[in-house]
Amino acid sequence: AQKITQTQPGMFVQEKEAVTLDCTYDTSDPSYGLFWYKQPSSGEMIFLIYQGSYDQQNATEGRYSLNFQKARKSANLVISASQLGDSAMYFCAMREEGDNFNKFYFGSGTKLNVKP
Amino acid sequence: ETGVTQTPRHLVMGMTNKKSLKCEQHLGHNAMYWYKQSAKKPLELMFVYNFKEQTENNSVPSRFSPECPNSSHLFLHLHTLQPEDSALYLCASRTGESDTGELFFGEGSRLTVL
């Protein structure tokens, strides 16, 4: 079974508007971490934001916020005030912490296009 | 210069060749990872090394063999590959000593198998 599901292969957003990228996850571990990465066309994976499974508050990093709904097992990324440079692939990931190897699982990504 | 360096950036090889991908991290991390990225698919975890101890993904074909001689270097040895192995191979590292413990990625090695 897929551990991370991103149901939006592609999204468009107007510059300066907010956009939400969806992510759901599946785990039976009580302790885990959730991450979002950005991958521009150049290929490098850039870490954006982290949410721990025990964190009570939603994580925020500048224009990025993570809408964490634990009961629903969802970890949506919200980008406020979109910029042209936000156009990229976005990947949701989960780290299970049940063993020493801390495996990270990724979704298939969402391609975001920001329109001027 | 990134903290995680991968070489070569591009590699074209025939199905009978033997080649290796190299990854080096300058961050003092203690865990290193190989991922395979194919178009429109989730990143596929291939191998993890933690303090030089390896966990293997049983679905990875034996034509891929990892080597981690020390905590800073990671190799992926390739032999008798198939065209479907063409992909972007990403190396990553992490430390368990940060609050977030995110992966730091290299820029990837783009492999084409003819």
Side-chain angles (χ1 to χ4, degrees), chain B residues 8 10-21 36 46-47 59-66 76-89 109-114:
Chain B
H10 299 273
L11 178 64
V12 179
M13 58 187 289
M15 289 192 284
T16 58
N17 292 158
K18 289 186 181 181
K19 297 285 185 184
S20 296
L21 304 181
K36 176 184 178 183
M46 300 179 74
F47 302 105
S59 67
V60 179
S62 59
R63 56 186 183 268
F64 295 93
S65 59
L76 187 63
H77 302 302
L78 317 169
H79 61 99
T80 58
L81 294 191
Q82 304 298 311
E84 61 264 28
D85 297 322
S86 298
L88 181 67
Y89 289 83
S109 294
R110 173 73 61 186
L111 173 66
T112 302
V113 181
L114 301 176

Side-chain angles (χ1 to χ4, degrees), chain B residues 88-114:
Chain B
L88 181 67
Y89 289 83
L90 291 164
C91 174
S93 70
R94 68 178 291 267
T95 175
E97 297 178 11
S98 77
D99 289 341
T100 55
E102 71 271 25
L103 291 174
F104 288 75
F105 282 88
E107 294 179 297
S109 294
R110 173 73 61 186
L111 173 66
T112 302
V113 181
L114 301 176

